[in-house]
Amino acid sequence: MNELVASPFAGTRNAVADTAGARQDQSRELAETQVKYLMAQQFPRDEIANTDKILNAFTRPTLAEQSQYQFSRGGSDISGPSIRAAEAMAQHWGNIEQGFRERSRGVDGKGVPFSEVEAFCVDLESRTSKRLQFIVKHWRDTRQGGYQIKEERDIYELIANQAQRRVRACILALIPGDVIDAAMQQAEVTLKAKADTSPEAIQKIVAAFEPFGVTKEHIEKRIQRRLDAIQPAQVVSLKRIYASLRDGMSSPSEWFDMDEAAQAGATTTLKDITEKAAAKKASNKKAQTQTEFDQTPQQNPNVEAMIGRINSCTDTDVLDIVADEIRDYEGDDLKRLEDAYRARRAELEAQ
């Protein structure tokens, strides 16, 4: 009589935990996904009307100023839609779901924790999607070296910062290219029409570049003319360069002819400004006596750093960009940041 050989897959059917809670979560997620696709089919987008909405959105000067980034590569200037522009286009294009999620965590060979993150964008109407997976180490590099990030809020902010560019790429992969080009042209027209070349506006531009070690002479050498003769298109270009420096996508030496001393002492991004301000405050706090420390309520260092960024803003438009990050806070921290924002905005408007 032939003997049967035991199946190598025997006993593995129930290897995965199958609890009532897991089945309920899977059923709810499946139902929500089905409803999203069903609603997208029942209410398809009107491409002409939605394109008009996108173009109309980029007639707003505040959005137009944040709509494009610019950096230098291979001797040529490269520009493209920013994450704010991509989010605005996705909102008005309709039937699009986009974002990012942290899939798992682990530790690399050097003992540094990391997160596996996925950025995604799904067109619910055409049922096409774009997904990008990447690794984010819980590590922050500084000029003095680096250190491991342990606070959950810091980890989330690092992941969100890394994910924004991937989310932008996913959104732009699903929205038609001609719609994107039309939106950027509209932003260009809006900026040129609203470009302020008054002496007050020029002083604000010079003040905005100061933290990066860029002086008035550096700017005049780049535009090949005196600042009082600057053209609207050059104002637009300088604002894009500032956005690139602010987001850490380039360094001052890529745009301006800076000497080594100025370049060494320059701060490349607003994050460096925040870190220096936080380090200075931490040093001053450590110098306090134990009695003063006990009498003073401890503050969240992230909130203190954010308040420092708010107070360092020299323009209401830049202030609004920085204030967009306030929504990540809550409770007393949120109240303090809102108070700092209103106070700084009142000061700038009174100038």
Side-chain angles (χ1 to χ4, degrees):
M1 181 179 293
N2 295 332
E3 295 183 358
L4 297 178
V5 178
S7 171
F9 300 101
T12 62
R13 184 182 300 275
N14 298 324
V16 180
D18 187 15
T19 64
R23 291 194 299 270
Q24 184 179 5
D25 291 340
Q26 293 174 359
S27 298
R28 181 171 59 251
E29 184 175 355
L30 178 60
E32 290 177 354
T33 303
Q34 290 175 339
V35 169
K36 290 177 182 178
Y37 282 106
L38 180 61
M39 295 299 292
Q41 293 298 320
Q42 290 185 350
F43 302 96
R45 68 173 63 93
D46 185 339
E47 295 186 354
I48 297 177
N50 290 0
T51 301
D52 291 339
K53 291 180 181 179
I54 292 175
L55 297 179
N56 185 59
F58 284 91
T59 60
R60 303 199 308 268
T62 52
L63 178 58
E65 289 181 358
Q66 305 174 33
S67 63
Q68 296 188 57
Y69 66 86
Q70 186 173 6
F71 62 92
S72 180
R73 177 181 294 171
S76 60
D77 294 348
I78 299 175
S79 61
S82 66
I83 180 59
R84 297 288 175 249
E87 289 175 345
M89 286 187 283
Q91 177 184 0
H92 293 290
W93 188 243
N95 290 338
I96 281 184
E97 182 179 9
Q98 48 85 18
F100 66 92
R101 63 171 65 93
E102 184 179 9
R103 298 179 61 89
S104 63
R105 291 190 179 185
V107 180
D108 63 12
K110 298 182 180 180
V112 179
F114 66 87
S115 294
E116 181 184 357
V117 187
E118 180 187 59
F120 64 90
C121 183
V122 181
D123 189 327
L124 301 174
E125 186 173 330
S126 63
R127 296 185 294 280
T128 58
S129 64
K130 176 69 174 180
R131 300 178 186 274
L132 295 175
Q133 295 184 3
F134 56 99
I135 299 296
V136 179
K137 290 186 177 181
H138 300 175
W139 185 268
R140 178 164 292 163
D141 293 319
T142 63
R143 295 180 182 274
Q144 292 76 28
Y147 59 92
Q148 180 180 334
I149 299 175
K150 299 181 179 180
E151 296 293 334
E152 283 298 325
R153 182 180 292 273
D154 293 338
I155 293 174
Y156 170 77
E157 290 177 352
L158 178 64
I159 292 175
N161 183 46
Q162 294 284 338
Q164 290 302 313
R165 297 180 185 178
R166 278 83 171 184
V167 172
R168 177 189 63 205
C170 292
I171 294 174
L172 299 181
L174 295 187
I175 296 180
D178 55 343
V179 176
I180 297 174
D181 293 340
M184 294 301 97
Q185 292 176 6
Q186 180 60 61
E188 187 82 16
V189 172
T190 302
L191 287 176
K192 290 182 178 180
K194 300 294 183 179
D196 189 358
T197 58
S198 65
E200 294 79 9
I202 301 305
Q203 289 299 322
K204 290 182 179 179
I205 293 177
V206 174
F209 278 102
E210 284 180 356
F212 304 101
V214 179
T215 64
K216 177 182 177 182
E217 289 72 21
H218 292 139
I219 298 176
E220 289 180 339
K221 189 173 182 179
R222 175 176 174 80
I223 65 176
Q224 296 295 308
R225 65 181 66 203
R226 294 175 58 86
L227 275 177
D228 53 11
I230 193 171
Q231 299 297 313
Q234 293 172 327
V235 173
V236 174
S237 177
L238 288 175
K239 288 185 176 181
R240 291 179 183 171
I241 293 174
Y242 171 76
S244 177
L245 297 177
R246 178 198 64 213
D247 296 339
M249 300 187 67
S250 62
S251 62
S253 60
E254 296 180 29
W255 302 105
F256 305 96
D257 186 10
M258 306 181 66
D259 55 7
E260 295 182 358
Q263 185 175 348
T267 302
T268 55
T269 65
L270 286 182
K271 186 177 79 171
D272 294 334
I273 299 174
T274 303
E275 290 179 352
K276 287 186 176 181
K280 184 177 180 181
K281 290 183 179 181
S283 178
N284 294 337
K285 188 174 182 180
K286 186 179 295 184
Q288 294 177 345
T289 63
Q290 186 65 35
T291 302
E292 292 175 339
F293 179 82
D294 293 339
Q295 294 176 351
T296 303
Q298 296 186 8
Q299 305 292 347
N300 187 337
N302 295 322
V303 176
E304 296 299 314
M306 180 62 72
I307 292 177
R309 291 180 59 187
I310 291 175
N311 292 332
S312 66
C313 293
T314 58
D315 192 327
T316 56
D317 294 335
V318 178
L319 179 63
D320 290 337
I321 297 174
V322 174
D324 186 53
E325 303 177 21
I326 293 178
R327 59 186 179 182
D328 294 333
Y329 296 82
E330 56 186 15
D332 295 337
D333 294 342
L334 177 60
K335 184 177 184 302
R336 291 186 60 210
L337 292 172
E338 289 177 343
D339 293 341
Y341 166 76
R342 285 192 289 266
R344 184 55 181 166
R345 188 172 187 84
E347 292 175 0
L348 294 175
E349 292 177 347
Q351 293 178 358

